[in-house]
Amino acid sequence: MCSSTHPPSAGLSFAAAALLAVGGTAAVADEPPDQEQLPAVVQESSIENSVELDDDLLDDSLDSDASFDNDFADLDIEALMSIEVTSVAGVKQSLLRTPAAMYVITAEDIRRSGHRNVAEALRIVPGMAVASVSANQWAISARGFNSLFATNMLVLVDGRVVYDPIWSGVPWELQDLLLEDIDRIEVVRGPGATLWGANAVNGVINITSKSAHDTHGAYISGGVGTEERAFGKFRYGGALDDDASYRIWGKYHLCDTSVDAAGDSRHDDWDFYRGGFRLDFGDVTDAAFTIQADAYHTDTVGESRRVAIPGHMTFQTIVDDAWFSGGHVLARMTREYADDGGWSLQAYYDRLNARRYGPLMNRDTADIDFRHHFVPLDTHEIVWGLGARYSRARIDPSPTLTFRDLDRETWLLSGFVQDTIALMPDRLSLMVGSKFLHNDFTGFEIQPSARLSWTPDDRQTLWGAVSRAVRTPARINDDMVLTGAFVDVGLMGGGPPAGIFAPVQLVGDDGTDAEELIACELGYRAHVSDEITIDIAAFYNIYDNIIEMPPTGGTADNTASAESFGVEIASTWQAAPNWRVTGAYSLVEILAHTRFGDENFEDGDPHHQLNIRSMLDITDDLELNVAGYYVDGVSRYDVPAYFRLDVGLTWHLNENMELSVWGQNLLDPAHREYGDDIVQDMRAEVQRGVYAQLTWRF
Amino acid sequence: MTRLLLLILVLLVAVSPLPAAGAEPSPGIDKAKAAKVKAAYLYNFTKFTKWPDEKFADDRSSKRKAPIIIGVLGDQSFSRIVGKTIKGRTVGGRSIEVRNITYIAPPKGRRDDPAPRERFAKRVAECHLLYISDSQEEHLDDILHLVDDENILTVSDIEEFARIGGMVGFVTEQGKIIFEVCRDEIEDTRIKVSSKLLKLARIVKRKDPAHKTRGATP
């Protein structure tokens, strides 16, 4: 039993909280009149009075199993004693009502998955395609269109957008946090653009770390392994005074290389140093503040990339060290009022210095974001917000890769409003809203959505949604110039070799428009029994104006369109108090209409994915965690289907110490998961690995 | 530079005092819901408890009544939930105030500033009901010692709380939260708890004062 709870905490989870709160709106407003407003005279006999109080209020309130604002407060003790607090297989009630394909993983889920960084941990999310492209790169997307530069997923870490506006996609190697201090990772498959903005086309990943109030104490962990060569991390947190807490943390890891088909090293081993702090202060009933900062640095991040050689018609694969350093500082003020809403104001600055794929660049981002939610009428809850983001990128080009504008500033202005309407309190709820944004690439964009959820009883919810989302062009679509090869002009003209070589270039075009999506979704979530939950989501997506980069050179243009459909099924089974089993299956099919090859979009994702995980407490001190994954082949990159098995044993040596041993990718010595055909030579294979980890908390 | 920074951070850790261990979440419990139920219990407890008059600094001339103070020790998230639960509610004409309190250990040496500890002790002493988070288990003896003569109703979900010196302990049984009460502990003070509350409680006896330290619970 434990009383420490992490309510969808301050700040950016705001939006998530709003999404989660759908069912709760009516109840918040429905609060019965204060029965305890006794006249001052009766003060001396408060006990006797209380005995009479609201004895019979309970029966109807009990049934509604409220998970929103505390209407348990109106129950008397007998009623409280009869409330079931066991979650149905660990799923929060509020999640049941969410009208989106949302899945939440916690630090505990990650710990029991054995995954060692955020990117890998997403493998446990239903419908998420996670593929290791090299030892330090990942392609991650939901609902198709995956690639190393997966354009359609928006990722936020503590309210900070980590989507890369230059390359598009997310540099996952830099999103390595102290997993222990992650409060939750909310993954929404499908458009989340109304709340989160552009590029939240196929999904949103919202990573929230714990409040410093919840991380008092020391945590030290370290380990060694064959693939995870060495890692160490620590956190120390405490209270400064009654309303202020802090933590400082740091981590280091060194990962081994992947191999090529012959089993030789691909020199993509890498290391990473990161450290930071977080301060949370402010009064419970007054304004709360969060200040956090972190910094990171790499010594080596091996990459091999393909370069064209001037004067020759051949490629050369060169092995190079990419490197990164950077950091951010963020401040947030949150004010929550008991029943009439609240607001938050957040600002951050983020700096990235990188050399990746050749050019050296640095990027400064400054962002300010305001959100306010309130309840103007009993049946309405409104969230709205305004944001502005400034970004400046300075680029030192490489011979093969450059941008037309080497020092460029961009602005993004946005606003959104969303109303959650309780059509039938607790039962039927409608969420309508839109995001409006102005960006320097395509101008004004509007992204509306409507979501309806019906909760016929407290064990099931049926929901449906129609949304529009856009993906705005990244710099690679807009003003990149990539020299892919050199071709003999004579040969190119169909004649004999002329001995004169011309570059074949892939160039961005500043006339590209935003990609558009209209998404239709339908979902059903149920607590089949106290032990079993099931979550099904189906989608039909219509994409238009998809930007194509011609693979054989040419100019980017909005020449493709596509339809995709699929289904994701996730289930949790609490087989016994000490044994939990989860399973997930997903299907994605894409029909593309392109200029340069439909298969580029149609076959870039595993069509079928399946995972089954078992979390068993053998004794109070011994845990056995097993995860099996099946990932269908990706024919675009000639990647065959693979099975993956991870097995981990964790032994709680005493109250403070924990030893775990994990075997990962146990079924084969090495396998490929993905590829990339633009800038790199990617045929990396992920190897079987074993690691041991010792953790000490005190 | 980064290495140096990390080294400094590691050194900081090495010299810092040992804080409380965080409680492991139990699988299968809807923590948010459990917290709300517990918060509702705390509110109910204030309705069924009578404190001696001098616990309230009532201003008799203006007829303004001092609030009932619920202290939450060691769990800020929970204090917020309690705050939301009691917001706008009164008991016997008194408003209810929630106070988030962080444990401060007694000064160890002469050079330690005693003021934070004194402030902490004062904030605790002013409470009518003190909820002690299970994260505070290792400080329990000290906390119980602090509240000894202060006529404070102590509530906690520390295991066997009502048997090891506390008054009211939450227990989760078959997915439901019930509570144990140690009458002896209450009778040692001048707090009066309604018989209705006692009827619903599971009455337990205090164990031998020297309580064992609990291991990890499943």
Side-chain angles (χ1 to χ4, degrees):
Chain A
M1 189 161 78
C2 170
S3 69
S4 91
T5 52
H6 310 292
S9 63
L12 256 280
S13 299
F14 222 173
L19 199 60
L20 280 168
V22 195
T25 325
V28 177
D30 255 1
E31 203 161 288
D34 237 337
Q35 310 231 351
E36 284 72 58
Q37 292 282 9
L38 304 175
V41 205
V42 296
Q43 180 235 329
E44 293 304 318
S45 55
S46 62
I47 292 174
E48 288 73 17
N49 268 318
S50 311
V51 178
E52 255 79 60
L53 284 175
D54 48 21
D55 254 11
D56 300 312
L57 201 88
L58 41 141
D59 287 343
D60 35 5
S61 321
L62 242 190
D63 287 348
S64 68
D65 185 23
S67 62
F68 17 81
D69 252 291
N70 204 345
D71 34 9
F72 296 139
D74 294 314
L75 302 187
D76 74 359
I77 291 174
E78 277 171 291
L80 289 172
M81 290 174 73
S82 64
I83 291 176
E84 190 85 35
V85 292
T86 315
S87 65
V88 188
V91 175
K92 281 193 175 180
Q93 278 291 324
S94 45
L95 187 59
L96 175 76
R97 295 160 182 265
T98 306
M102 184 187 257
Y103 192 80
V104 177
I105 55 181
T106 62
E108 177 71 0
D109 290 328
I110 298 170
R111 189 184 67 76
R112 298 198 75 147
S113 75
H115 294 305
R116 307 241 3 95
N117 59 47
V118 171
E120 287 285 321
L122 293 169
R123 288 182 194 271
I124 67 178
V125 177
M128 191 63 65
V130 176
S132 168
V133 182
S134 77
N136 56 57
Q137 287 161 295
W138 285 265
I140 297 179
S141 189
R143 298 186 170 175
F145 299 93
N146 201 7
S147 85
L148 180 56
F149 306 107
T151 53
N152 290 342
M153 297 295 291
L154 183 66
V155 181
L156 299 112
V157 179
D158 281 331
R160 193 164 43 90
V161 172
V162 297
Y163 183 90
D164 191 322
I166 295 174
W167 298 103
S168 73
V170 174
W172 283 104
E173 62 274 28
L174 304 183
Q175 313 314 324
D176 196 17
L177 309 166
L178 196 65
L179 298 178
E180 169 88 0
D181 287 347
I182 288 178
D183 182 36
R184 48 203 271 129
I185 300 178
E186 294 161 347
V187 179
V188 177
R189 301 179 306 272
T194 299
L195 286 173
W196 281 282
N199 312 321
V201 175
N202 280 18
V204 181
I205 299 170
N206 190 20
I207 301 167
T208 315
S209 62
K210 288 175 185 167
S211 158
H213 295 305
D214 296 327
T215 55
H216 290 188
Y219 165 86
I220 298 175
S221 182
V224 290
T226 57
E227 296 305 299
E228 309 283 350
R229 295 291 282 277
F231 52 93
K233 48 202 175 165
F234 79 92
R235 174 250 295 149
Y236 181 78
L240 295 168
D241 68 32
D242 291 335
D243 284 319
S245 295
Y246 70 94
R247 70 165 173 262
I248 54 174
W249 59 275
K251 75 178 287 184
Y252 165 75
H253 71 74
L254 173 67
C255 293
D256 194 25
T257 62
S258 61
V259 293
D260 61 21
D264 294 328
S265 163
R266 296 187 69 262
H267 309 290
D268 53 0
D269 50 324
W270 64 299
D271 63 1
F272 199 76
Y273 299 84
R274 189 168 202 145
F277 71 88
R278 173 164 170 155
L279 273 175
D280 282 280
F281 57 100
D283 200 73
V284 180
T285 46
D286 205 356
F289 297 86
T290 299
I291 294 174
Q292 65 177 41
D294 77 0
Y296 53 85
H297 166 78
T298 62
D299 282 339
T300 40
V301 179
E303 66 177 13
S304 48
R305 60 174 194 275
R306 201 188 276 170
V307 262
I309 309 161
H312 298 272
M313 282 179 62
T314 51
F315 296 109
Q316 186 185 12
T317 298
I318 63 164
V319 175
D320 201 357
D321 265 339
W323 64 261
F324 300 94
S325 69
H328 84 276
V329 52
L330 177 145
R332 178 164 57 232
M333 177 179 178
T334 310
R335 185 99 203 238
E336 285 289 332
Y337 305 100
D339 9 279
D340 25 35
W343 55 267
S344 79
L345 178 65
Q346 170 187 284
Y348 69 80
Y349 165 74
D350 185 285
R351 166 84 176 191
L352 168 68
N353 306 303
R355 197 181 71 196
R356 185 57 132 174
Y357 315 126
L360 188 66
M361 59 179 70
N362 60 59
R363 194 177 85 221
D364 296 285
T365 307
D367 182 284
I368 186 160
D369 192 48
F370 173 78
R371 282 165 189 248
H372 175 220
H373 66 108
F374 63 107
V375 184
L377 291 167
D378 282 0
T379 51
H380 291 256
E381 180 170 3
I382 291 177
V383 196
W384 66 277
L386 292 170
R389 186 176 311 143
Y390 163 83
S391 179
R392 177 178 180 185
R394 280 166 289 194
I395 298 165
D396 185 6
S398 75
T400 48
L401 186 53
T402 183
F403 292 81
R404 283 192 286 267
D405 198 345
L406 296 175
D407 182 352
R408 181 162 172 189
E409 298 178 14
T410 51
W411 279 92
L412 178 70
L413 303 172
S414 65
F416 78 93
V417 59
Q418 177 177 286
D419 186 7
T420 305
I421 307 157
L423 301 173
M424 283 164 57
D426 270 357
R427 292 289 171 251
L428 190 63
S429 146
L430 174 67
M431 197 185 249
V432 287
S434 183
K435 181 112 184 176
F436 308 92
L437 62 91
H438 186 276
N439 71 89
D440 287 355
F441 299 96
T442 65
F444 184 73
E445 300 288 349
I446 176 169
Q447 303 183 89
S449 79
R451 294 177 179 273
L452 188 68
S453 81
W454 178 45
T455 309
D457 59 57
D458 291 318
R459 304 187 74 85
Q460 50 187 335
T461 291
L462 187 66
W463 60 270
V466 179
S467 344
R468 178 182 194 266
V470 301
R471 200 276 285 188
T472 53
R475 291 284 301 276
I476 55 167
N477 308 124
D478 189 80
D479 68 345
M480 176 185 76
V481 180
L482 171 69
T483 304
F486 289 88
V487 179
D488 186 294
V489 286
L491 284 175
M492 201 162 53
I500 303 164
F501 290 87
V504 174
Q505 289 181 325
L506 191 57
V507 294
D509 179 15
D510 60 11
T512 50
D513 282 328
E515 300 179 350
E516 294 167 34
L517 164 69
I518 303 288
C520 308
E521 296 175 273
L522 204 57
Y524 176 70
R525 215 178 262 120
H527 296 162
V528 180
S529 72
D530 284 352
E531 292 77 35
I532 297 174
T533 67
I534 188 155
D535 185 341
I536 303 171
F539 64 92
Y540 178 68
N541 287 348
I542 304 161
Y543 298 84
D544 202 5
N545 280 342
I546 300 177
I547 299 170
E548 273 191 282
M549 302 291 272
T552 51
T555 306
D557 201 359
N558 300 85
T559 47
S561 63
E563 295 99 55
S564 70
F565 63 91
V567 63
E568 296 123 7
I569 302 169
S571 183
T572 307
W573 176 37
Q574 191 76 44
N578 59 338
W579 187 29
R580 193 155 75 99
V581 180
T582 67
Y585 166 78
S586 62
L587 164 78
V588 185
E589 292 291 343
I590 298 173
L591 287 168
H593 320 285
T594 68
R595 194 155 59 121
F596 303 106
D598 298 352
E599 65 281 1
N600 289 345
F601 292 129
E602 291 178 353
D603 299 328
D605 298 275
H607 295 296
H608 303 272
Q609 287 199 98
L610 185 69
N611 75 60
I612 294 174
R613 298 191 303 132
S614 153
M615 288 145 280
L616 174 67
D617 296 331
I618 298 170
T619 69
D620 286 355
D621 301 327
L622 197 61
E623 290 170 16
L624 176 66
N625 300 304
V626 180
Y629 304 83
Y630 167 76
V631 181
D632 200 10
V634 180
S635 53
R636 178 177 178 186
Y637 301 114
D638 303 321
V639 175
Y642 68 89
F643 287 94
R644 168 181 176 145
L645 178 69
D646 293 359
V647 179
L649 202 59
T650 299
W651 181 24
H652 298 273
L653 301 169
N654 58 39
E655 280 173 71
N656 299 331
M657 293 183 82
E658 171 189 309
L659 176 67
S660 52
V661 178
W662 274 91
Q664 297 179 309
N665 293 299
L666 291 174
L667 295 179
D668 47 25
H671 64 261
R672 280 183 69 210
E673 296 189 354
Y674 218 67
D676 171 69
D677 43 23
I678 299 177
V679 287
Q680 290 174 306
D681 167 32
M682 282 297 185
R683 296 187 73 84
E685 301 201 358
V686 180
Q687 286 175 283
R688 180 185 290 150
V690 177
Y691 73 83
Q693 176 178 7
L694 186 65
T695 299
W696 189 23
R697 299 181 182 89
F698 57 90
Chain B
M1 178 58 205
T2 318
R3 277 200 187 125
L4 182 66
L5 187 69
L6 286 180
L7 183 66
I8 292 168
L9 294 180
V10 171
L11 287 175
L12 275 173
V13 169
V15 298
S16 305
L18 306 187
E24 281 289 312
S26 318
I29 299 291
D30 182 337
K31 290 191 296 173
K33 191 172 173 188
K36 284 176 178 172
V37 170
K38 284 177 196 167
Y41 264 119
L42 297 191
Y43 164 58
N44 265 284
F45 291 161
T46 63
K47 294 196 285 186
F48 291 94
T49 307
K50 206 175 150 190
W51 284 272
D53 287 345
E54 69 266 23
K55 270 302 272 188
F56 296 101
D58 287 345
D59 183 347
R60 297 206 178 260
S61 55
S62 68
K63 296 257 160 71
R64 196 183 151 273
K65 288 187 173 182
I68 296 174
I69 299 170
I70 298 179
V72 174
L73 186 53
D75 188 343
Q76 178 151 14
S77 314
F78 183 63
S79 70
R80 288 204 178 89
I81 293 165
V82 178
K84 286 197 169 191
T85 304
I86 53 90
K87 167 119 181 176
R89 294 173 192 276
T90 56
V91 171
R94 297 186 188 280
S95 63
I96 308 173
E97 187 183 306
V98 180
R99 190 174 274 186
N100 174 52
I101 304 176
T102 304
Y103 178 79
I104 311 277
K108 284 191 187 112
R110 246 178 247 156
R111 271 179 301 172
D112 277 9
D113 179 8
R117 168 68 177 190
E118 280 163 21
R119 202 158 78 90
F120 161 69
K122 183 165 175 290
R123 278 171 67 87
V124 168
E126 283 166 359
C127 294
H128 297 92
L129 186 157
L130 182 68
Y131 172 84
I132 304 161
S133 155
D134 60 1
S135 66
Q136 306 298 306
E137 185 160 3
E138 60 176 302
H139 311 306
L140 187 58
D141 291 339
D142 181 36
I143 295 162
L144 290 177
H145 183 68
L146 264 184
V147 301
D148 219 7
D149 297 319
E150 303 290 351
N151 296 309
I152 297 171
L153 186 74
T154 55
V155 184
S156 176
D157 51 10
I158 291 173
E159 196 173 302
E160 304 213 303
F161 181 67
R163 297 168 198 261
I164 56 175
M167 296 177 189
V168 183
F170 288 127
V171 181
T172 307
E173 271 187 12
Q174 291 163 351
K176 290 167 181 140
I177 298 172
I178 59 168
F179 61 105
E180 298 178 335
V181 170
C182 180
R183 289 182 82 143
D184 302 340
E185 290 293 346
I186 295 171
E187 281 162 10
D188 286 351
T189 68
R190 287 187 292 133
I191 302 172
K192 297 273 183 295
V193 172
S194 144
S195 60
K196 169 154 188 192
L197 189 80
L198 295 176
K199 248 191 316 197
L200 294 170
R202 177 193 289 162
I203 304 295
V204 297
K205 286 265 176 255
R206 181 166 29 186
K207 274 194 200 164
D208 215 274
H211 72 276
K212 66 171 178 80
T213 324
R214 133 183 108 103
T217 42

